[in-house]
Amino acid sequence: MISAQITGIVIAVQANYYWVKCDRIQGDLDQGDRNSQSSSALPQATLLCTRRDRLRKMGQKVMVGDRVTVEEINWDSQRAAICQVLPRQTELDRPPVANADQILLVFAFAQPAIDPVQLSRFLVKAETSGIKVQLCLTKCDLVSPDIQQQWRDRLMTWSYDPILISVYQHQGLETLRQRLSDRITVVSGPSGVGKSSLINALLPQLKLRVSSVSGKLERGRHTTRHVELFQLASGGLLADTPGFNQPDLDCAPIALAHCFPEVRSRLQQNSCQFSDCLHRDEPGCGVRGSWERYDLYLKFLDDAIAYQTKLRQQTEPEAILKAKTSANGKINYEMRLDRSKYRRESRKTRQQSMQVMKGKVIDWLEQEPE
């Protein structure tokens, strides 16, 4: 056994078990450990760990990417227990990854084709994390060079410099490796865009399962089921995550504008008259204009307002107003009706009432006359 504790990084989580890769030893080895393992081999071990009940009672969640301390190590069975989670630098909720340095957002040129609205939702969701965002477009061998250049120019106006990737033609992989070097990178994006194929190209030894795109819906099938960190030859770590097609926009309305790089650049050039400007119809707004994604910004703003209103109503059940979205996308507020007095009595309640009434009638009939 180890007389002291060892630190490491959580590389995978499944159910209530955690795989921790050890990185250095904080104590001396006893004689038994010296005989079973060499000190040079111990830091490379991966341990299957459980979480201490104390952490569970404290509500301390253990995520992929967490720096942790483990104890009670059994090197023969490669088992241990996580006793401490070190402070996090960053934290993502979906996918659940801690201490990530950047997000690699993967979309495909075709099969499925790029949807600007869906792409913008993913970009905005990634920007809410405050982590650097890298954009990657795969399957560029399925479209012409003109279409590739059109999308590159278009995304440059959004202030993103995409990496164009073709796994089949080995295009752009070296550029991607350089941007992933010595960083913890979270790979995210819709299902079917080729995330697993891309990771297989970067790490051929993994042989991750891949799947084709649905022919009818042109929508990807989920192949990755859980989050896991993989070691890159460049020294970085890559987190493969399950794909999903519609991320939630849960940021505050006032913070939404800062999730658009176009707005951030405009705010640096032209300050708005009001510090709490939503850039919708306020006077003296320096953001409102003819930039391409402005209409999308307004749509996402309505979604963010509706989300905040829903949260407020959940925390304040006595709220008398409710939000209602009209056909033109505007959000209106109307009085909340008390529907309890219009609610129909359930069949079970009626049957119970009838049984009680029947019992009272029987008792009345069985009473002796005075």
Side-chain angles (χ1 to χ4, degrees):
M1 300 295 290
I2 296 289
S3 59
Q5 299 170 340
I6 289 180
T7 59
I9 183 172
V10 179
I11 61 173
V13 176
Q14 283 186 324
N16 295 321
Y17 293 94
Y18 311 89
W19 278 260
V20 177
K21 182 178 181 181
C22 302
D23 52 4
R24 64 190 180 94
I25 297 178
Q26 292 182 327
D28 296 328
L29 304 178
D30 60 23
Q31 188 61 40
D33 288 317
R34 292 180 187 275
N35 294 334
S36 61
Q37 295 279 355
S38 65
S39 59
S40 61
L42 286 174
Q44 305 300 322
T46 299
L47 303 175
L48 178 61
C49 301
T50 57
R51 177 180 54 166
R52 286 292 186 209
D53 286 341
R54 175 175 57 84
L55 297 180
R56 179 180 57 81
K57 294 176 181 178
M58 292 169 52
Q60 177 64 67
K61 185 178 180 181
V62 181
M63 305 169 63
V64 170
D66 267 328
R67 303 283 304 168
V68 297
T69 304
V70 299
E71 61 184 6
E72 293 191 8
I73 305 170
N74 187 324
W75 292 108
D76 294 330
S77 61
Q78 299 288 288
R79 297 294 184 97
I82 296 175
C83 60
Q84 182 183 10
V85 178
L86 303 181
R88 296 167 179 155
Q89 301 299 319
T90 60
E91 181 178 340
L92 297 174
D93 59 343
R94 187 180 182 189
V97 180
N99 300 317
D101 297 308
Q102 61 183 357
I103 297 174
L104 179 65
L105 191 57
V106 181
F107 267 71
F109 277 111
Q111 299 180 9
I114 302 177
D115 178 5
V117 178
Q118 185 188 44
L119 175 58
S120 293
R121 289 186 71 93
F122 270 89
L123 288 171
V124 169
K125 179 63 176 179
E127 293 282 357
T128 59
S129 66
I131 303 174
K132 182 179 179 182
V133 179
Q134 294 277 2
L135 182 57
C136 172
L137 299 181
T138 62
K139 305 182 184 180
C140 62
D141 53 285
L142 300 181
V143 297
S144 65
D146 291 339
I147 294 178
Q148 296 179 34
Q149 190 60 43
Q150 289 173 11
W151 269 107
R152 179 188 287 275
D153 295 340
R154 184 177 183 181
L155 293 172
M156 291 291 287
T157 64
W158 299 6
S159 300
Y160 293 102
D161 183 14
I163 307 173
L164 306 187
I165 299 289
S166 171
V167 174
Y168 179 74
Q169 297 178 343
H170 303 283
Q171 176 183 341
L173 294 177
E174 188 57 36
T175 302
L176 181 59
R177 289 190 181 96
Q178 294 175 3
R179 298 194 187 184
L180 301 180
S181 177
D182 298 325
R183 296 178 178 90
I184 297 180
T185 304
V186 177
V187 182
S188 184
S191 302
V193 296
K195 297 188 298 296
S196 296
S197 298
L198 179 60
I199 294 176
N200 283 336
L202 297 172
L203 298 165
Q205 68 275 17
L206 294 181
K207 298 180 180 179
L208 297 180
R209 186 167 62 92
V210 297
S211 180
S212 60
V213 175
S214 171
K216 291 183 178 180
L217 300 178
E218 206 176 66
R219 183 177 299 172
R221 300 182 177 92
H222 301 291
T223 54
T224 303
R225 301 298 182 182
H226 63 279
V227 182
E228 185 171 355
L229 284 178
F230 301 112
Q231 181 74 50
L232 294 169
S234 59
L237 291 170
L238 200 62
D240 186 21
T241 64
F244 51 95
N245 294 307
Q246 193 75 344
D248 298 325
L249 298 182
D250 52 2
C251 66
I254 193 64
L256 178 65
H258 297 277
C259 299
F260 285 79
E262 310 98 301
V263 177
R264 294 199 297 262
S265 62
R266 281 170 170 77
L267 288 176
Q268 294 175 357
Q269 300 171 4
N270 301 309
S271 299
C272 289
Q273 183 175 350
F274 304 102
S275 59
D276 58 348
C277 181
L278 293 179
H279 318 295
R280 187 162 46 183
D281 50 12
E282 297 86 348
C285 178
V287 171
R288 209 169 51 241
S290 59
W291 48 287
E292 180 186 352
R293 293 201 295 171
Y294 180 65
D295 289 339
L296 278 179
Y297 164 75
L298 295 178
K299 180 181 182 302
F300 293 165
L301 180 62
D302 288 339
D303 294 342
I305 294 174
Y307 179 80
Q308 290 295 316
T309 303
K310 181 179 179 181
L311 288 182
R312 186 164 56 250
Q313 291 174 349
Q314 290 176 348
T315 57
E316 301 175 5
E318 68 278 4
I320 61 174
L321 295 179
K322 68 175 182 178
K324 189 173 183 181
T325 305
S326 61
N328 58 5
K330 293 292 184 180
I331 298 178
N332 302 315
Y333 295 90
E334 60 183 31
M335 296 295 294
R336 183 184 300 276
L337 298 177
D338 182 11
R339 300 183 181 274
S340 58
K341 57 183 179 181
Y342 304 108
R343 207 166 285 159
R344 175 184 292 182
E345 188 180 40
S346 67
R347 180 182 300 177
K348 182 178 180 181
T349 303
R350 289 200 306 271
Q351 291 177 349
Q352 290 176 347
S353 301
M354 292 175 63
Q355 290 175 359
V356 171
M357 182 61 69
K358 181 179 179 181
K360 289 182 178 180
V361 171
I362 293 176
D363 292 342
W364 177 75
L365 293 175
E366 291 179 350
Q367 288 181 355
E368 295 180 0
E370 297 181 356

